Amino acid sequence: MSEVESELLRKVNEKIDLIEPTTGKLFFEHKTELVFCRPHLMPLKTQALERLEEMHRETARQLQKKRNNKNITEPHKE
C-alpha cells in the first residue's frame, strides 16, 4: 500500500466514531452469499412413469397382434 493510500485510510478511520446505544437491543445482520454446487443430472421421467409407458406399449403391441391375426383368419366379404 502506498503512503497516500495509508494516509487516506488513517483519515477515514479517525473520522468514524463508534456509537453504541445505551438502551435497546444491538444486533448484527449477517448476509450470506449464494453458494453454487455442481449441477446434478436429474431423470426427465421417473421409473414408475417409464414402467407405465412400457406396459402401455406392450398392451398396444398385443392388441395390434390380435387385430392382425383376426384379419388374417377372417376372409374379406365383398
Side-chain angles (χ1 to χ4, degrees):
M1 207 164 34
S2 68
E3 277 188 48
V4 175
E5 289 174 336
S6 60
E7 183 65 31
L8 284 172
L9 191 58
R10 203 172 313 124
K11 285 181 182 179
V12 168
N13 287 338
E14 288 174 1
K15 290 181 182 180
I16 297 174
D17 295 327
L18 181 62
I19 302 172
E20 293 182 11
T22 55
T23 60
K25 295 181 181 180
L26 179 65
F27 67 94
F28 175 76
E29 184 179 342
H30 179 72
K31 293 184 179 180
T32 58
E33 293 184 18
L34 293 176
V35 177
F36 294 103
C37 61
R38 288 182 55 207
H40 298 281
L41 293 177
M42 306 261 318
L44 295 177
K45 295 182 181 179
T46 62
Q47 290 178 348
L49 180 61
E50 288 178 356
R51 276 188 258 125
L52 184 65
E53 288 178 342
E54 180 60 33
M55 288 188 328
H56 180 72
R57 283 192 295 268
E58 184 62 31
T59 306
R61 274 189 229 120
Q62 290 173 358
L63 183 61
Q64 186 67 31
K65 187 185 284 187
K66 284 182 183 179
R67 285 181 182 165
N68 287 341
N69 288 340
K70 188 175 181 182
N71 288 341
I72 290 172
T73 57
E74 290 181 5
H76 291 319
K77 295 180 182 178
E78 290 185 19

Coordinates of all heavy atoms in Angstrom, one line a residue:
M1 N 0.9 -1.2 0.0 CA 0.0 0.0 0.0 C 0.9 1.2 0.0 O 1.9 1.3 0.7 CB -0.9 0.0 1.2 CG -2.2 0.7 1.0 SD -3.5 0.4 2.2 CE -2.9 0.1 3.7
S2 N 0.5 2.2 -0.8 CA 1.3 3.4 -0.9 C 1.1 4.3 0.3 O 0.2 4.1 1.1 CB 1.0 4.1 -2.2 OG -0.3 4.7 -2.2
E3 N 1.9 5.3 0.4 CA 1.8 6.3 1.5 C 0.5 7.1 1.4 O -0.2 7.4 2.4 CB 3.0 7.3 1.5 CG 4.2 6.7 2.2 CD 5.3 7.8 2.4 OE1 4.9 8.9 2.8 OE2 6.4 7.5 2.0
V4 N 0.1 7.4 0.2 CA -1.1 8.2 0.0 C -2.3 7.4 0.5 O -3.2 7.9 1.1 CB -1.2 8.6 -1.5 CG1 -2.6 9.3 -1.7 CG2 -0.1 9.5 -1.9
E5 N -2.3 6.1 0.1 CA -3.5 5.3 0.4 C -3.5 5.1 1.9 O -4.6 5.1 2.6 CB -3.4 3.9 -0.3 CG -3.6 4.0 -1.7 CD -3.4 2.6 -2.4 OE1 -2.6 1.8 -1.9 OE2 -3.9 2.4 -3.5
S6 N -2.4 4.8 2.6 CA -2.4 4.6 4.0 C -2.8 5.9 4.7 O -3.5 5.9 5.8 CB -1.0 4.2 4.5 OG 0.0 5.1 4.2
E7 N -2.4 7.1 4.2 CA -2.8 8.3 4.8 C -4.3 8.5 4.7 O -5.0 8.9 5.7 CB -2.1 9.5 4.2 CG -2.3 10.9 4.8 CD -1.8 11.0 6.2 OE1 -0.8 10.4 6.5 OE2 -2.4 11.7 6.9
L8 N -4.9 8.2 3.6 CA -6.3 8.4 3.4 C -7.1 7.4 4.3 O -8.1 7.8 4.9 CB -6.7 8.1 1.9 CG -6.4 9.2 0.9 CD1 -6.7 8.7 -0.5 CD2 -7.3 10.4 1.2
L9 N -6.6 6.2 4.4 CA -7.2 5.2 5.3 C -7.1 5.6 6.8 O -8.1 5.5 7.5 CB -6.5 3.8 5.1 CG -7.2 2.6 5.8 CD1 -8.6 2.5 5.2 CD2 -6.3 1.4 5.5
R10 N -6.0 6.2 7.2 CA -5.9 6.7 8.5 C -6.9 7.8 8.8 O -7.5 7.9 9.9 CB -4.5 7.2 8.8 CG -4.0 7.2 10.2 CD -2.6 7.5 10.4 NE -1.7 6.8 9.5 CZ -0.8 7.3 8.7 NH1 -0.7 8.6 8.6 NH2 -0.1 6.6 7.9
K11 N -7.1 8.8 7.8 CA -8.0 9.9 8.0 C -9.5 9.4 8.1 O -10.2 9.8 8.9 CB -7.9 10.8 6.8 CG -6.7 11.7 6.9 CD -6.6 12.7 5.7 CE -5.4 13.5 5.8 NZ -5.3 14.5 4.6
V12 N -9.8 8.4 7.3 CA -11.1 7.8 7.3 C -11.4 7.1 8.6 O -12.4 7.3 9.2 CB -11.3 6.8 6.1 CG1 -12.6 6.0 6.3 CG2 -11.4 7.5 4.8
N13 N -10.4 6.4 9.1 CA -10.6 5.7 10.4 C -10.7 6.7 11.6 O -11.4 6.4 12.6 CB -9.4 4.7 10.7 CG -9.5 3.5 9.8 OD1 -10.6 3.2 9.3 ND2 -8.4 2.9 9.6
E14 N -10.0 7.8 11.5 CA -10.1 8.8 12.5 C -11.5 9.5 12.6 O -12.0 9.8 13.6 CB -9.1 9.9 12.3 CG -7.7 9.4 12.7 CD -6.6 10.5 12.3 OE1 -7.0 11.6 11.8 OE2 -5.4 10.2 12.5
K15 N -12.1 9.6 11.4 CA -13.4 10.3 11.3 C -14.6 9.5 11.7 O -15.6 10.0 12.1 CB -13.7 10.8 9.9 CG -12.8 11.9 9.4 CD -13.1 12.4 8.0 CE -12.1 13.5 7.6 NZ -12.4 13.9 6.3
I16 N -14.4 8.1 11.7 CA -15.5 7.3 12.1 C -15.5 7.0 13.6 O -14.5 6.5 14.1 CB -15.4 5.9 11.3 CG1 -15.5 6.1 9.8 CG2 -16.5 4.9 11.8 CD1 -15.3 4.9 9.0
D17 N -16.6 7.4 14.3 CA -16.7 7.2 15.7 C -17.7 6.1 15.9 O -18.8 6.1 15.3 CB -17.1 8.4 16.4 CG -16.1 9.5 16.4 OD1 -14.9 9.2 16.3 OD2 -16.4 10.7 16.3
L18 N -17.4 5.1 16.8 CA -18.4 4.1 17.1 C -19.4 4.6 18.1 O -19.0 5.1 19.1 CB -17.6 2.9 17.6 CG -18.5 1.7 18.0 CD1 -19.1 1.1 16.7 CD2 -17.6 0.6 18.6
I19 N -20.7 4.4 17.7 CA -21.7 4.9 18.6 C -22.5 3.6 19.0 O -23.1 3.0 18.2 CB -22.7 5.9 17.9 CG1 -21.9 7.1 17.4 CG2 -23.8 6.2 18.8 CD1 -22.7 8.0 16.5
E20 N -22.5 3.3 20.3 CA -23.2 2.2 20.8 C -24.4 2.7 21.6 O -24.3 3.6 22.4 CB -22.3 1.4 21.8 CG -21.1 0.7 21.0 CD -20.3 -0.1 22.0 OE1 -20.7 -0.4 23.1 OE2 -19.2 -0.6 21.5
P21 N -25.5 2.1 21.4 CA -26.7 2.6 22.1 C -26.6 2.2 23.6 O -26.1 1.1 23.9 CB -27.9 1.8 21.4 CG -27.2 0.7 20.7 CD -25.8 1.0 20.4
T22 N -27.1 3.0 24.4 CA -27.1 2.7 25.9 C -28.4 2.0 26.3 O -28.3 1.2 27.3 CB -27.0 4.0 26.7 OG1 -28.1 4.9 26.3 CG2 -25.7 4.7 26.4
T23 N -29.4 2.1 25.5 CA -30.7 1.3 25.8 C -31.1 0.6 24.5 O -30.7 1.0 23.4 CB -31.8 2.2 26.2 OG1 -32.1 3.2 25.2 CG2 -31.5 3.0 27.5
G24 N -31.9 -0.4 24.7 CA -32.4 -1.1 23.5 C -31.5 -2.3 23.2 O -30.7 -2.7 23.9
K25 N -31.8 -2.8 22.0 CA -31.1 -4.0 21.6 C -30.1 -3.7 20.4 O -30.4 -2.9 19.6 CB -32.0 -5.1 21.1 CG -32.9 -5.6 22.2 CD -33.9 -6.7 21.7 CE -34.8 -7.2 22.8 NZ -35.7 -8.2 22.3
L26 N -29.0 -4.3 20.4 CA -28.0 -4.2 19.4 C -27.9 -5.5 18.7 O -27.8 -6.6 19.3 CB -26.6 -3.8 20.0 CG -25.5 -3.6 19.0 CD1 -25.8 -2.5 18.1 CD2 -24.2 -3.4 19.7
F27 N -28.1 -5.5 17.4 CA -28.0 -6.8 16.6 C -27.2 -6.6 15.4 O -27.0 -5.5 14.9 CB -29.4 -7.3 16.3 CG -30.2 -6.5 15.3 CD1 -30.1 -6.8 14.0 CD2 -30.9 -5.4 15.8 CE1 -30.8 -6.0 13.1 CE2 -31.6 -4.6 14.9 CZ -31.6 -4.9 13.5
F28 N -26.7 -7.7 14.8 CA -25.9 -7.7 13.6 C -26.6 -8.6 12.6 O -26.9 -9.7 12.9 CB -24.5 -8.2 13.9 CG -23.6 -8.3 12.7 CD1 -23.1 -7.2 12.1 CD2 -23.4 -9.6 12.2 CE1 -22.3 -7.3 11.0 CE2 -22.6 -9.7 11.1 CZ -22.0 -8.6 10.5
E29 N -26.8 -8.1 11.4 CA -27.4 -8.9 10.4 C -26.3 -9.5 9.5 O -25.6 -8.7 8.9 CB -28.4 -8.1 9.6 CG -29.1 -8.8 8.5 CD -30.1 -8.0 7.7 OE1 -30.4 -6.9 8.2 OE2 -30.5 -8.4 6.6
H30 N -26.2 -10.8 9.4 CA -25.2 -11.4 8.6 C -25.9 -11.8 7.3 O -26.8 -12.6 7.3 CB -24.7 -12.6 9.3 CG -23.6 -13.4 8.5 ND1 -22.4 -12.9 8.3 CD2 -23.7 -14.6 7.9 CE1 -21.7 -13.7 7.5 NE2 -22.5 -14.8 7.3
K31 N -25.4 -11.3 6.2 CA -26.0 -11.7 4.9 C -25.1 -12.7 4.2 O -23.9 -12.6 4.1 CB -26.0 -10.4 4.0 CG -27.0 -9.4 4.4 CD -27.1 -8.3 3.4 CE -28.1 -7.2 3.9 NZ -28.2 -6.1 3.0
T32 N -25.7 -13.9 3.9 CA -25.0 -14.9 3.3 C -25.0 -14.8 1.8 O -25.9 -14.2 1.2 CB -25.6 -16.3 3.7 OG1 -26.9 -16.3 3.2 CG2 -25.5 -16.6 5.2
E33 N -23.9 -15.2 1.2 CA -23.9 -15.2 -0.3 C -24.3 -16.5 -0.8 O -24.3 -17.5 -0.2 CB -22.4 -14.9 -0.7 CG -22.0 -13.5 -0.3 CD -20.6 -13.2 -0.9 OE1 -20.2 -13.9 -1.8 OE2 -20.0 -12.3 -0.4
L34 N -24.8 -16.5 -2.1 CA -25.2 -17.7 -2.7 C -24.0 -18.6 -3.0 O -23.0 -18.2 -3.4 CB -25.9 -17.5 -4.0 CG -27.2 -16.7 -3.9 CD1 -27.8 -16.4 -5.3 CD2 -28.2 -17.6 -3.2
V35 N -24.1 -19.9 -2.7 CA -23.1 -20.8 -2.9 C -23.6 -21.8 -3.9 O -24.6 -22.5 -3.7 CB -22.7 -21.6 -1.6 CG1 -21.6 -22.6 -1.9 CG2 -22.2 -20.6 -0.6
F36 N -23.0 -21.9 -5.1 CA -23.5 -22.8 -6.1 C -22.7 -24.1 -6.0 O -21.5 -24.2 -5.8 CB -23.2 -22.2 -7.5 CG -24.1 -21.0 -7.7 CD1 -23.6 -19.7 -7.6 CD2 -25.4 -21.1 -8.0 CE1 -24.3 -18.6 -7.8 CE2 -26.2 -20.0 -8.2 CZ -25.7 -18.7 -8.1
C37 N -23.4 -25.2 -6.2 CA -22.8 -26.5 -6.2 C -22.8 -27.1 -7.6 O -23.3 -26.5 -8.5 CB -23.5 -27.5 -5.3 SG -25.2 -27.8 -5.7
R38 N -22.1 -28.2 -7.8 CA -22.1 -28.8 -9.1 C -23.5 -29.2 -9.6 O -24.3 -29.6 -8.8 CB -21.2 -30.1 -9.1 CG -19.7 -29.8 -8.9 CD -18.9 -31.1 -8.9 NE -19.2 -31.8 -10.1 CZ -19.1 -33.2 -10.2 NH1 -18.8 -33.9 -9.2 NH2 -19.4 -33.8 -11.3
P39 N -23.8 -29.1 -10.8 CA -25.1 -29.5 -11.3 C -25.2 -31.0 -11.3 O -24.3 -31.7 -11.5 CB -25.1 -28.9 -12.8 CG -23.7 -28.8 -13.1 CD -22.9 -28.5 -11.9
H40 N -26.4 -31.5 -10.9 CA -26.7 -32.9 -10.9 C -27.6 -33.2 -12.0 O -28.5 -32.5 -12.3 CB -27.3 -33.3 -9.6 CG -26.4 -33.0 -8.4 ND1 -25.4 -33.8 -8.0 CD2 -26.4 -32.0 -7.5 CE1 -24.8 -33.3 -6.9 NE2 -25.4 -32.2 -6.6
L41 N -27.4 -34.4 -12.6 CA -28.3 -34.8 -13.7 C -29.5 -35.5 -13.1 O -29.4 -36.3 -12.2 CB -27.5 -35.9 -14.6 CG -26.4 -35.3 -15.4 CD1 -25.7 -36.5 -16.2 CD2 -26.9 -34.3 -16.4
M42 N -30.6 -35.0 -13.5 CA -31.9 -35.5 -12.9 C -32.6 -36.2 -14.0 O -32.6 -35.7 -15.2 CB -32.7 -34.3 -12.4 CG -32.1 -33.4 -11.4 SD -32.4 -33.8 -9.7 CE -34.1 -34.1 -9.6
P43 N -33.3 -37.3 -13.8 CA -34.0 -38.0 -14.8 C -35.2 -37.2 -15.2 O -35.9 -36.6 -14.4 CB -34.4 -39.3 -14.2 CG -34.4 -39.1 -12.7 CD -33.3 -38.0 -12.5
L44 N -35.5 -37.2 -16.5 CA -36.7 -36.5 -17.0 C -38.0 -37.2 -16.7 O -39.0 -36.6 -16.5 CB -36.6 -36.2 -18.5 CG -35.4 -35.3 -19.0 CD1 -35.4 -35.3 -20.5 CD2 -35.5 -34.0 -18.4
K45 N -37.9 -38.5 -16.6 CA -39.0 -39.3 -16.3 C -38.7 -40.2 -15.1 O -37.6 -40.7 -14.9 CB -39.4 -40.2 -17.5 CG -39.8 -39.5 -18.7 CD -40.2 -40.5 -19.8 CE -40.6 -39.8 -21.0 NZ -41.0 -40.7 -22.1
T46 N -39.7 -40.4 -14.3 CA -39.5 -41.3 -13.1 C -39.5 -42.7 -13.6 O -40.0 -43.0 -14.7 CB -40.6 -41.1 -12.1 OG1 -41.9 -41.4 -12.6 CG2 -40.6 -39.6 -11.6
Q47 N -39.0 -43.6 -12.7 CA -39.0 -45.0 -13.1 C -40.5 -45.6 -13.2 O -40.8 -46.4 -14.0 CB -38.3 -45.8 -12.1 CG -36.8 -45.6 -12.1 CD -36.0 -46.3 -11.0 OE1 -36.6 -46.9 -10.1 NE2 -34.7 -46.4 -11.2
A48 N -41.3 -45.1 -12.3 CA -42.7 -45.5 -12.4 C -43.4 -45.1 -13.7 O -44.1 -45.9 -14.3 CB -43.5 -44.9 -11.2
L49 N -43.1 -43.9 -14.2 CA -43.7 -43.4 -15.4 C -43.1 -44.3 -16.6 O -43.8 -44.6 -17.5 CB -43.4 -42.0 -15.6 CG -43.9 -41.3 -16.9 CD1 -45.4 -41.4 -17.0 CD2 -43.5 -39.9 -17.0
E50 N -41.8 -44.6 -16.5 CA -41.2 -45.4 -17.6 C -41.9 -46.8 -17.6 O -42.1 -47.3 -18.7 CB -39.7 -45.5 -17.4 CG -39.0 -44.2 -17.7 CD -37.5 -44.3 -17.5 OE1 -37.0 -45.4 -17.0 OE2 -36.8 -43.4 -17.8
R51 N -42.1 -47.4 -16.4 CA -42.7 -48.7 -16.4 C -44.2 -48.6 -16.9 O -44.6 -49.5 -17.7 CB -42.8 -49.2 -14.9 CG -41.5 -50.0 -14.6 CD -41.6 -50.6 -13.2 NE -40.9 -49.8 -12.3 CZ -41.4 -49.3 -11.1 NH1 -42.6 -49.6 -10.8 NH2 -40.7 -48.5 -10.4
L52 N -44.9 -47.6 -16.6 CA -46.3 -47.4 -17.1 C -46.3 -47.3 -18.6 O -47.1 -47.9 -19.3 CB -46.9 -46.2 -16.4 CG -48.3 -45.9 -16.7 CD1 -49.2 -47.0 -16.2 CD2 -48.7 -44.6 -16.1
E53 N -45.3 -46.5 -19.1 CA -45.3 -46.4 -20.6 C -44.9 -47.7 -21.3 O -45.5 -48.0 -22.3 CB -44.3 -45.3 -21.0 CG -44.7 -43.9 -20.7 CD -43.7 -42.8 -21.0 OE1 -42.5 -43.2 -21.2 OE2 -44.1 -41.6 -21.1
E54 N -44.0 -48.4 -20.7 CA -43.7 -49.7 -21.2 C -44.9 -50.7 -21.2 O -45.1 -51.4 -22.2 CB -42.5 -50.4 -20.4 CG -42.0 -51.7 -21.0 CD -41.6 -51.7 -22.4 OE1 -41.0 -50.6 -22.8 OE2 -41.8 -52.7 -23.1
M55 N -45.6 -50.7 -20.1 CA -46.8 -51.5 -20.1 C -47.8 -51.1 -21.2 O -48.5 -51.9 -21.8 CB -47.5 -51.4 -18.7 CG -46.7 -52.2 -17.6 SD -47.5 -52.3 -16.0 CE -48.5 -50.9 -15.8
H56 N -48.0 -49.8 -21.4 CA -48.9 -49.3 -22.4 C -48.4 -49.7 -23.8 O -49.2 -50.2 -24.6 CB -48.9 -47.8 -22.3 CG -49.8 -47.1 -23.3 ND1 -51.2 -47.2 -23.3 CD2 -49.6 -46.4 -24.4 CE1 -51.7 -46.6 -24.3 NE2 -50.8 -46.1 -25.0
R57 N -47.1 -49.6 -24.1 CA -46.6 -50.1 -25.4 C -46.8 -51.6 -25.6 O -47.2 -52.0 -26.7 CB -45.1 -49.7 -25.5 CG -44.9 -48.3 -25.8 CD -43.4 -48.0 -26.2 NE -42.5 -48.3 -25.1 CZ -42.0 -47.4 -24.2 NH1 -42.4 -46.2 -24.3 NH2 -41.2 -47.8 -23.3
E58 N -46.6 -52.4 -24.5 CA -46.7 -53.8 -24.6 C -48.2 -54.2 -24.9 O -48.5 -55.0 -25.7 CB -46.3 -54.5 -23.3 CG -46.3 -56.0 -23.4 CD -45.4 -56.6 -24.5 OE1 -44.4 -56.0 -24.8 OE2 -45.8 -57.6 -25.0
T59 N -49.1 -53.5 -24.2 CA -50.6 -53.7 -24.4 C -50.9 -53.3 -25.8 O -51.7 -54.0 -26.5 CB -51.4 -52.9 -23.4 OG1 -51.0 -53.2 -22.1 CG2 -52.9 -53.2 -23.5
A60 N -50.4 -52.2 -26.3 CA -50.7 -51.8 -27.7 C -50.2 -52.8 -28.7 O -50.8 -53.1 -29.7 CB -50.1 -50.4 -28.0
R61 N -49.0 -53.4 -28.5 CA -48.4 -54.4 -29.3 C -49.3 -55.7 -29.4 O -49.6 -56.2 -30.4 CB -47.0 -54.8 -28.9 CG -45.9 -53.9 -29.4 CD -44.5 -54.5 -29.1 NE -43.8 -53.4 -28.6 CZ -43.2 -53.3 -27.3 NH1 -43.3 -54.3 -26.5 NH2 -42.6 -52.3 -27.0
Q62 N -49.7 -56.1 -28.2 CA -50.6 -57.3 -28.1 C -51.9 -57.0 -28.8 O -52.4 -57.9 -29.5 CB -50.9 -57.6 -26.6 CG -49.6 -58.2 -25.9 CD -49.9 -58.4 -24.4 OE1 -51.0 -58.1 -24.0 NE2 -48.9 -58.9 -23.8
L63 N -52.5 -55.9 -28.7 CA -53.7 -55.5 -29.4 C -53.6 -55.5 -30.9 O -54.4 -56.1 -31.6 CB -54.3 -54.2 -28.9 CG -55.6 -53.7 -29.4 CD1 -56.7 -54.7 -29.0 CD2 -55.9 -52.3 -28.9
Q64 N -52.4 -55.0 -31.3 CA -52.2 -54.9 -32.8 C -52.0 -56.3 -33.3 O -52.4 -56.7 -34.4 CB -50.9 -54.1 -33.0 CG -50.6 -53.9 -34.5 CD -51.7 -53.0 -35.2 OE1 -52.3 -52.1 -34.6 NE2 -51.9 -53.3 -36.4
K65 N -51.3 -57.2 -32.5 CA -51.1 -58.6 -32.9 C -52.4 -59.3 -33.1 O -52.6 -60.0 -34.0 CB -50.1 -59.3 -31.9 CG -49.7 -60.7 -32.4 CD -48.9 -61.4 -31.3 CE -47.5 -60.8 -31.2 NZ -46.7 -61.6 -30.3
K66 N -53.3 -59.1 -32.1 CA -54.6 -59.7 -32.2 C -55.4 -59.3 -33.4 O -56.1 -60.1 -34.1 CB -55.4 -59.4 -30.9 CG -55.0 -60.2 -29.7 CD -55.9 -59.9 -28.5 CE -55.4 -60.7 -27.3 NZ -56.2 -60.3 -26.1
R67 N -55.3 -58.0 -33.7 CA -56.0 -57.5 -34.8 C -55.5 -58.1 -36.1 O -56.2 -58.4 -37.0 CB -55.9 -55.9 -34.9 CG -56.8 -55.2 -33.9 CD -56.7 -53.8 -34.0 NE -57.5 -53.1 -33.0 CZ -57.4 -51.8 -32.7 NH1 -56.4 -51.0 -33.3 NH2 -58.1 -51.3 -31.8
N68 N -54.1 -58.2 -36.2 CA -53.5 -58.7 -37.4 C -53.9 -60.2 -37.6 O -54.2 -60.7 -38.7 CB -52.0 -58.6 -37.3 CG -51.6 -57.2 -37.6 OD1 -52.3 -56.4 -38.1 ND2 -50.4 -56.9 -37.2
N69 N -53.9 -61.0 -36.5 CA -54.3 -62.4 -36.5 C -55.8 -62.5 -36.9 O -56.1 -63.4 -37.6 CB -54.0 -63.1 -35.2 CG -52.6 -63.3 -34.9 OD1 -51.8 -63.3 -35.9 ND2 -52.2 -63.5 -33.7
K70 N -56.6 -61.7 -36.4 CA -58.1 -61.7 -36.7 C -58.3 -61.4 -38.2 O -59.1 -62.1 -38.9 CB -58.8 -60.7 -35.8 CG -60.3 -60.8 -35.9 CD -60.9 -59.9 -35.0 CE -62.4 -60.0 -35.0 NZ -63.1 -59.0 -34.1
N71 N -57.6 -60.4 -38.7 CA -57.7 -60.1 -40.1 C -57.2 -61.2 -41.1 O -57.7 -61.4 -42.1 CB -57.0 -58.8 -40.5 CG -57.7 -57.6 -39.9 OD1 -58.9 -57.6 -39.6 ND2 -57.0 -56.5 -39.7
I72 N -56.2 -61.9 -40.6 CA -55.6 -63.0 -41.4 C -56.6 -64.2 -41.5 O -56.8 -64.8 -42.5 CB -54.2 -63.4 -40.9 CG1 -53.2 -62.3 -41.2 CG2 -53.8 -64.7 -41.6 CD1 -51.9 -62.5 -40.5
T73 N -57.2 -64.5 -40.3 CA -58.0 -65.7 -40.3 C -59.4 -65.5 -40.9 O -60.0 -66.4 -41.4 CB -58.2 -66.2 -38.8 OG1 -58.8 -65.1 -38.1 CG2 -56.9 -66.6 -38.2
E74 N -59.9 -64.3 -40.9 CA -61.2 -64.0 -41.5 C -61.1 -63.5 -42.9 O -60.3 -62.6 -43.2 CB -61.9 -62.9 -40.7 CG -62.4 -63.3 -39.3 CD -63.1 -62.1 -38.7 OE1 -63.3 -61.1 -39.3 OE2 -63.5 -62.3 -37.5
P75 N -61.8 -64.2 -43.8 CA -61.7 -63.8 -45.3 C -62.5 -62.5 -45.4 O -63.5 -62.2 -44.7 CB -62.3 -64.9 -46.0 CG -63.1 -65.6 -45.0 CD -62.5 -65.4 -43.7
H76 N -62.1 -61.7 -46.3 CA -62.9 -60.4 -46.6 C -64.2 -60.8 -47.3 O -64.2 -61.6 -48.3 CB -62.1 -59.5 -47.5 CG -60.9 -58.9 -46.8 ND1 -60.9 -58.5 -45.5 CD2 -59.6 -58.6 -47.2 CE1 -59.8 -58.0 -45.2 NE2 -58.9 -58.1 -46.2
K77 N -65.2 -60.1 -46.9 CA -66.5 -60.3 -47.6 C -66.8 -59.2 -48.5 O -66.8 -58.0 -48.1 CB -67.6 -60.4 -46.5 CG -67.5 -61.6 -45.6 CD -68.6 -61.7 -44.6 CE -68.5 -62.8 -43.7 NZ -69.5 -62.9 -42.7
E78 N -67.1 -59.5 -49.7 CA -67.4 -58.4 -50.7 C -68.6 -58.7 -51.5 O -69.1 -59.8 -51.7 CB -66.2 -58.2 -51.7 CG -65.0 -57.7 -51.0 CD -63.9 -57.4 -52.0 OE1 -64.2 -57.3 -53.2 OE2 -62.8 -57.2 -51.6

